[in-house]
Amino acid sequence: MPLTKRSLVLPASPPSVKLARSWVTRVLAEIGRDDLVESAALGVSELVTNALIHSQPPLSVRIRGTVDHPRIEVVDSSPVPPQRSEMSPEPEDVDDLNVTTFGRGLDLVAMMSARWGSDLAHDGSSKSVWFEPQGDGDHGGRTGEIFDFDPDFGLEDSTEAGDEPQLNIRLLRLPPRLFSLLRTFYYETRRELRLLSLTSPENYPLAHEMTAAYVQADRERRVAVGVSTLDQAIADNLETVDLDYLVPATAPVTMARLRDLYVEIYREFADEHLLALRPPEVIVELQNWYFTEFERQGRGDAPLPWDGPTSVVTTA
């Protein structure tokens, strides 16, 4: 069944990311394709973000094709085709926070799509970048590959520790399922703040400061040594897991700074229509506990286990 052509004109401002995401989610629900919502929402977020950074208005998103094979398109005014990077720059190689470093954006779109590509307008004045989202479970559970910005130091053990002073951090009774949700909120918030920092740093100095803190955390993560049990614990659907990390001595200060900045972010952007809104309260509590454990143990205090819920409890 062919879809009636649907389109939405987007303002050339960061809230367009959330607007496009919400609109695509609603249209897919209306045509009975809830199984495509997750991959479609992530894909359109990436494409709108890239269009906002690299192009000029007018900008729009549209859905065409059929119910069985809906195609999501983001149309912008640039005739330059999208470039898929072979490798994203490493955090320590990016000294200027105003440099665009969304190297894996198209990789994410490709991973979430059955097909994707771009078309140039006949008059050469614009282009559309499109993808056909995959259904739930079609991308092999590759969350670890998709969410390349992660608050967890231990996902990959470093071989680059060098002579930098390090200390041991123990995270007791960490809830893997809940932490996987925290990763998602962390990723979305980081991308949105990065966009604000790039497009309007004078209007969003807090976003610029938060982006700098993310870069510092990335640098420390690369020289950290951890265990590789968290991903397996998530895959095994474990209730809790105990983790040990060997991290740079500077990590507790960075993590405490991230925690405090999140408090300011949630307060300052409470009324903003951003992609990543304040997460459920239990996710905020887990995030605060996680960052605070680095700070506490950096002072020499004994670790305190997570004593909250191990999953998000929903009510009517």
Side-chain angles (χ1 to χ4, degrees):
M1 179 184 299
L3 291 173
T4 301
K5 182 178 177 181
R6 304 194 188 196
S7 63
L8 176 69
V9 177
L10 299 171
S13 61
S16 287
V17 180
K18 182 177 185 295
L19 182 62
R21 182 185 178 106
S22 299
W23 181 80
V24 165
T25 297
R26 184 174 66 254
V27 172
L28 291 177
E30 289 174 357
I31 65 173
R33 295 309 308 268
D34 296 273
D35 58 310
L36 301 180
V37 164
E38 180 181 358
S39 56
L42 285 171
V44 77
S45 297
E46 294 291 337
L47 294 186
V48 172
T49 295
N50 289 341
L52 286 169
I53 292 171
H54 295 295
S55 184
Q56 299 291 328
L59 175 68
S60 64
V61 59
R62 61 193 184 194
I63 298 181
R64 300 199 290 184
T66 67
V67 172
D68 289 336
H69 301 285
R71 174 177 292 191
I72 299 170
E73 303 179 355
V74 173
V75 182
D76 62 50
S77 60
S78 171
V80 180
Q83 300 295 320
R84 185 176 177 183
S85 302
E86 291 297 323
M87 182 178 297
S88 301
E90 299 294 351
E92 64 268 27
D93 296 332
V94 182
D95 294 324
D96 183 0
L97 295 180
N98 290 312
V99 174
T100 300
T101 57
F102 292 104
R104 291 200 62 191
L106 290 178
D107 289 334
L108 188 151
V109 173
M111 292 174 68
M112 306 303 289
S113 306
R115 295 191 303 162
W116 74 281
S118 65
D119 298 313
L120 186 64
H122 295 302
D123 61 1
S125 62
S126 64
K127 71 173 181 298
S128 68
V129 184
W130 56 268
F131 70 102
E132 296 179 5
Q134 295 189 101
D136 294 341
D138 290 343
H139 28 82
R142 293 176 291 184
T143 302
E145 296 176 56
I146 295 171
F147 295 114
D148 57 328
F149 300 137
D150 201 295
D152 186 74
F153 282 104
L155 288 177
E156 296 180 0
D157 292 351
S158 172
T159 58
E160 306 176 13
D163 299 325
E164 185 174 350
Q166 297 193 313
L167 56 89
N168 188 72
I169 300 293
R170 299 205 72 203
L171 299 171
L172 303 178
R173 293 186 53 79
L174 182 144
R177 288 175 296 181
L178 202 58
F179 195 84
S180 68
L181 295 177
L182 174 58
R183 286 183 181 177
T184 303
F185 280 104
Y186 179 95
Y187 170 83
E188 293 180 349
T189 304
R190 174 170 179 159
R191 281 198 55 82
E192 188 70 11
L193 294 174
R194 175 68 165 163
L195 176 59
L196 292 173
S197 177
L198 286 166
T199 58
S200 188
E202 67 283 354
N203 294 328
Y204 296 100
L206 187 56
H208 194 70
E209 185 177 358
M210 190 68 157
T211 301
Y214 284 136
V215 171
Q216 177 62 25
D218 284 342
R219 289 171 176 158
E220 293 166 347
R221 176 178 54 80
R222 284 182 54 80
V223 295
V225 177
V227 294
S228 56
T229 57
L230 179 56
D231 279 342
Q232 190 60 50
I234 293 173
D236 292 342
N237 203 29
L238 296 183
E239 192 81 4
T240 63
V241 66
D242 294 341
L243 300 174
D244 286 272
Y245 299 124
L246 190 63
V247 302
T250 55
V253 173
T254 302
M255 301 298 261
R257 183 58 182 150
L258 280 172
R259 179 201 59 208
D260 295 343
L261 283 170
Y262 267 112
V263 173
E264 295 183 52
I265 289 290
Y266 292 146
R267 181 177 62 249
E268 181 168 321
F269 294 159
D271 298 326
E272 294 273 358
H273 300 291
L274 300 179
L275 170 66
L277 300 178
R278 180 185 176 92
E281 194 60 35
V282 65
I283 298 295
V284 176
E285 292 172 1
L286 177 62
Q287 177 178 269
N288 289 338
W289 168 82
Y290 180 85
F291 290 144
T292 300
E293 277 304 288
F294 281 81
E295 182 186 43
R296 291 183 62 263
Q297 295 180 43
R299 296 195 304 257
D301 297 343
L304 292 177
W306 168 250
D307 61 359
T310 58
S311 62
V312 175
V313 178
T314 59
T315 64

